[in-house]
């Protein structure tokens, strides 16, 4: 079945990736799966530095997909001093099955096919000493509410884009995710988007939001946190002042996804966000 859903496509970088045929969305476009995962998530979140300190490191990998992000993490954290728990979430294994079947073309999967098979079968594997990898099959919006899941230190947020997967980008969902975090434990969320609408949605959900690293042909991405001090480049009041002129600032809600300017009442709420009182 997965063979009909996806195809292998060449990228400008010379690497290959997957494309979902239904909406023509390519996984990790331009620079390729391994490079994007490393730059956008592993390096930006300083996961190796975190893993080199005693304690625990809980990582949520939202959108396991073809496992590029998760594999980049396990390759970076070879001998962690911290107790690392990587929790991957997805509502389907179809892209992973397809990727395993096409591992020769994708390359990054080749050394890990046996481990991935064990993860699929057992839903938890001991990758190495101090490193466990869990997989949770189902809707992340429901899975994240489980009482046996601790609040994470890191969220790798990589679902399909909002144009084909709106429910993972709504104000209601991000508000629920924000409430799930422990404010005594700093947590970073990294994502490929640079959309003003999604940044506004995250802010209105209670996150602090900043400018993330450049990736591929994008000069910036988005990073969010439950603590302002965790952001190196938080959005400032100068960014806030240009929001009313944007034609793509309307926050995404479950009831509607309308691209357009932000409503005045929403802008008033955004203007009152503590990030802009503290970060003039």
């Amino acid at each position: 079945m997965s063979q009909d859903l996806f195809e292998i496509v060449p990228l400008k970088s010379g690497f290959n990736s997957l494309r979902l045929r239904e909406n023509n969305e390519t996984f990790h476009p331009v620079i390729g799966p391994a490079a994007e995962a490393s730059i956008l998530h592993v390096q930006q979140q300083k996961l190796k530095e975190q893993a080199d300190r005693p304690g625990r490191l809980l990582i949520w990998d939202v959108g396991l997909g073809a496992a590029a992000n998760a594999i980049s993490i396990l390759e970076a954290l070879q001998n962690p001093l911290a107790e690392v728990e990587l929790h991957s979430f997805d509502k389907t294994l179809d892209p992973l099955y397809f990727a395993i079947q096409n591992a020769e073309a994708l390359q990054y999967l080749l050394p890990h096919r046996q481990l991935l098979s064990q993860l699929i079968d057992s839903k938890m594997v001991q990758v190495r000493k101090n490193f466990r990898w869990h997989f949770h099959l189902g809707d992340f919006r429901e899975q994240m509410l489980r009482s046996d899941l601790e609040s994470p230190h890191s969220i790798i947020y990589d679902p399909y884009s909002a144009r084909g997967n709106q429910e993972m980008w709504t104000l209601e969902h991000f508000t629920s995710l924000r409430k799930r975090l422990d404010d005594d434990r700093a947590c970073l969320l990294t994502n490929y988007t640079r959309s003003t609408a999604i940044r506004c949605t995250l802010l209105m959900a209670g996150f602090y939001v900043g400018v993330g690293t450049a990736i591929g042909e994008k000069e910036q991405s988005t990073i969010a946190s439950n603590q302002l001090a965790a952001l190196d480049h938080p959005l400032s009041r100068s960014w806030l002042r240009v929001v009313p002129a944007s034609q793509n600032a309307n926050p995404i809600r479950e009831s509607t996804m309308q691209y357009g300017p932000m409503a005045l009442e929403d802008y008033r709420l955004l203007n009152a966000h503590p990030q802009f009182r503290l970060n003039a």
Side-chain angles (χ1 to χ4, degrees):
M1 176 175 154
S2 58
Q3 291 286 351
D4 300 323
L5 296 174
F6 303 94
E7 60 185 344
I8 297 292
V9 293
L11 305 174
K12 292 181 181 180
S13 61
F15 295 100
N16 294 325
S17 191
L18 283 73
R19 176 183 291 154
L20 178 64
R21 286 175 168 157
E22 180 181 6
N23 65 3
N24 205 36
E25 187 164 336
T26 300
F27 292 33
H28 312 281
V30 185
I31 64 173
E36 180 176 308
S38 178
I39 295 168
L40 183 61
H41 301 301
V42 175
Q43 294 178 35
Q44 188 173 206
Q45 296 234 19
K46 298 181 175 64
L47 291 180
K48 190 174 187 307
E49 291 86 338
Q50 292 192 66
D52 285 341
R53 298 193 292 265
R56 303 183 68 210
L57 177 56
L58 302 174
I59 306 168
W60 285 7
D61 167 38
V62 182
L64 172 65
N69 295 325
I71 286 174
S72 184
I73 292 168
L74 68 89
E75 288 184 345
L77 310 187
Q78 290 290 331
N79 297 292
L81 182 59
E83 293 283 344
V84 178
E85 285 192 22
L86 173 60
H87 292 264
S88 292
F89 302 84
D90 214 312
K91 61 182 179 181
T92 176
L93 283 166
D94 283 342
L96 186 56
Y97 284 134
F98 180 85
I100 292 172
Q101 292 163 5
N102 293 273
E104 293 285 346
L106 294 170
Q107 292 297 309
Y108 72 89
L109 277 174
L110 277 174
H112 308 287
R113 285 178 294 183
Q114 183 176 353
L115 184 67
L116 287 166
S117 296
Q118 293 174 2
L119 181 69
I120 290 169
D121 290 341
S122 302
K123 303 299 185 292
M124 194 281 283
V125 290
Q126 189 77 37
V127 177
R128 56 182 65 94
K129 182 184 177 182
N130 290 356
F131 195 133
R132 284 182 294 174
W133 186 7
H134 303 258
F135 174 62
H136 308 280
L137 182 63
D139 190 329
F140 173 69
R141 295 172 299 168
E142 300 171 358
Q143 292 287 325
M144 71 175 183
L145 301 176
R146 289 172 41 177
S147 60
D148 60 329
L149 283 176
E150 289 187 56
S151 176
H153 301 91
S154 168
I155 300 176
I156 311 303
Y157 202 77
D158 197 18
Y160 290 121
S161 66
R163 64 188 171 94
N165 193 25
Q166 178 181 336
E167 64 271 16
M168 290 291 285
W169 302 91
T170 66
L171 178 58
E172 292 83 357
H173 167 57
F174 281 138
T175 299
S176 182
L177 177 58
R178 175 64 185 86
K179 290 177 179 177
R180 185 64 176 78
L181 304 182
D182 180 354
D183 282 344
D184 292 329
R185 173 182 293 175
C187 178
L188 284 175
L189 179 153
T190 42
N191 180 256
Y192 53 80
T193 190
R194 57 185 173 183
S195 162
T196 301
I198 290 173
R199 287 176 172 178
C200 290
T201 305
L202 284 163
L203 284 161
M204 291 182 64
F207 283 93
Y208 297 98
V209 179
V211 175
T213 187
I215 189 74
E217 295 175 344
K218 295 180 179 180
E219 73 281 3
Q220 57 183 243
S221 55
T222 293
I223 187 166
S225 181
N226 58 340
Q227 295 185 9
L228 182 61
L231 300 177
D232 291 332
H233 305 287
L235 298 174
S236 65
R237 289 201 66 87
S238 61
W239 173 86
L240 180 65
R241 283 193 290 268
V242 302
V243 167
S246 172
Q247 295 303 303
N248 181 33
N250 197 39
I252 301 168
R253 290 183 166 90
E254 289 181 359
S255 57
T256 181
M257 182 176 178
Q258 296 179 344
Y259 293 106
M262 176 176 278
L264 180 59
E265 183 55 35
D266 283 336
Y267 186 66
R268 286 178 180 147
L269 293 171
L270 194 64
N271 194 62
H273 193 291
Q275 171 164 335
F276 302 113
R277 294 201 303 269
L278 299 170
N279 182 38

